Amino acid sequence: MRRADRLIKIVHFLRGRRRAVTARQIADEFEICTRTVYRDIQDLIGSGAPISGEAGVGYLIDKQYYLPPVTFDADELEALGLGISMVRHWTDQRLADKAESAFAKIQAVLPAILQGELEQITTYSIPDQPALPWTISFSDLRESIRAQRKIDIRYTDEAGHETSRTLRPLALIFCSPVWLLAAWCEQRGAFRNFRLDRMQSLTVSATRFAHESDKNLTAYKAQDGVC
């Protein structure tokens, strides 16, 4: 267990006890030595945790003290950092900015004992091949999915044939380096996948599509075996 994770768990451990907890009890709970407990307690006090007590007597924490409701362990922060790196390289600037904004909000509410973990993130995403460019708006496409609005596209297939389609957009799927739109195609009366880099134009309709059990994302996943 990383030390930052252990410090958070010690806080929760103390908050869950009505009486003073000895260093030996904490050491047994977390399988560490008492010397490490003393050091951890001092660091928690230094970071602002209202812990009272002393070695040989036991420790109590003010029950009104709580960690922010959004707390993460080191591995979770690593996963978030990797996700933001991937969003930055494989989506559009608008979504990348939103990912950075979300990470800044998380950073702002992290307890002091986890702030250092953000500076030690060592997992990154770097494209090993150029992303296939698209000309349509990635963000408009995302919003049409969220708002359940039909879209009209001009699409060029693998053979170079161009067609016009009216779609019910359901999900965006990343198959590096290709982005696919999973959709219900009105012309074909079936689910189809469309590559974003082959879309020549995109128009978001004012028409919303209703939720229909045989044409929604759940049905698409069941048909294609998507988890």
Side-chain angles (χ1 to χ4, degrees):
M1 182 187 300
R2 294 193 188 186
R3 186 163 184 268
D5 301 339
R6 186 177 70 244
L7 292 175
I8 289 177
K9 290 182 182 296
I10 288 175
V11 169
H12 289 304
F13 182 72
L14 292 176
R15 290 190 76 250
R17 301 300 182 277
R18 294 183 178 181
R19 299 178 180 178
V21 180
T22 66
R24 170 49 56 193
Q25 289 175 301
I26 297 173
D28 290 344
E29 175 69 19
F30 296 98
E31 299 180 349
I32 54 178
C33 66
T34 54
R35 176 179 293 183
T36 299
V37 173
Y38 298 144
R39 185 172 64 247
D40 286 351
I41 292 294
Q42 288 305 310
D43 286 346
L44 284 168
I45 293 173
S47 70
I51 298 172
S52 59
E54 59 185 72
V57 177
Y59 299 98
L60 285 168
I61 191 168
D62 186 341
K63 293 298 189 294
Q64 294 184 344
Y65 177 74
Y66 67 96
L67 292 174
V70 179
T71 56
F72 303 91
D73 62 28
D75 287 338
E76 289 170 336
L77 289 174
E78 193 89 17
L80 287 169
L82 175 59
I84 287 173
S85 179
M86 294 177 70
V87 168
R88 186 186 302 118
H89 287 118
W90 295 108
T91 64
D92 62 357
Q93 189 59 50
R94 181 174 172 183
L95 192 57
D97 289 344
K98 288 296 184 181
E100 294 286 0
S101 174
F103 199 62
K105 291 177 181 178
I106 291 169
Q107 183 176 13
V109 300
L110 278 180
I113 53 179
L114 269 183
Q115 290 290 343
E117 293 292 330
L118 290 177
E119 300 174 2
Q120 298 179 40
I121 290 177
T122 55
T123 307
Y124 302 95
S125 167
I126 299 177
D128 63 353
Q129 53 188 314
L132 296 179
W134 59 79
T135 57
I136 54 97
S137 170
F138 189 82
S139 291
D140 285 351
L141 194 50
R142 288 191 302 109
E143 290 175 4
S144 70
I145 295 171
R146 185 180 300 116
Q148 291 185 248
R149 293 188 181 278
K150 292 184 179 182
I151 61 173
D152 296 306
I153 66 169
R154 285 192 302 108
Y155 188 77
T156 303
D157 63 19
E158 189 174 5
H161 301 137
E162 185 175 302
T163 58
S164 296
R165 307 288 185 98
T166 298
L167 310 175
R168 299 184 183 198
L170 301 175
L172 285 164
I173 303 170
F174 184 52
C175 302
S176 177
V178 176
W179 274 100
L180 298 176
L181 170 68
W184 175 268
C185 178
E186 302 275 281
Q187 280 78 3
R188 296 291 185 265
F191 294 114
R192 291 289 187 270
N193 294 323
F194 299 90
R195 289 176 51 155
L196 268 59
D197 58 297
R198 291 181 181 167
M199 291 183 184
Q200 305 305 313
S201 67
L202 165 69
T203 303
V204 179
S205 170
T207 303
R208 295 178 183 270
F209 55 90
H211 177 85
E212 296 182 50
S213 60
D214 61 336
K215 300 176 183 177
N216 62 15
L217 183 58
T218 301
Y220 168 85
K221 290 180 177 179
Q223 174 179 291
D224 282 24
V226 178
C227 297

